[in-house]
Amino acid sequence: RFTESVVVEIFSGNLGEGELEKLRDVLKNNKGVTPVTVALNLPSGGKVNMLLGKGFCVKPSERFMKDVVSLLGENTVWLKIKR
């Protein structure tokens, strides 16, 4: 209700094989109405922000947050709160 969107931060240098597929599964297993932005940090120091399509909206529950942290590590997911 108060969440505007979810941001998932990915460090491209840390991506192992299958990580994106596992993230897709986490998103699909937590379907909801909150949009997701993926912030991809590049080895060059640049960052690319990608707003995912409506098919990847989530319910930002405690389970969802734990699943993302388990997959990508600490400080990789946060909520943008409506002002």
Side-chain angles (χ1 to χ4, degrees), residues 6-63:
V6 173
V7 178
V8 176
E9 190 156 9
I10 298 175
F11 299 91
S12 63
N14 296 344
L15 280 180
E17 205 162 307
E19 301 293 333
L20 290 178
E21 289 85 3
K22 290 176 185 174
L23 178 59
R24 179 199 61 215
D25 292 343
V26 169
L27 297 173
K28 292 288 187 179
N29 290 333
N30 291 278
K31 282 193 176 293
V33 297
T34 305
V36 175
T37 297
V38 172
L40 180 62
N41 292 283
L42 305 173
S44 64
K47 183 185 271 191
V48 177
N49 291 318
M50 299 172 285
L51 178 61
L52 302 183
K54 290 184 180 184
F56 292 98
C57 289
V58 297
K59 178 180 180 185
S61 64
E62 187 175 338
R63 176 182 153 216

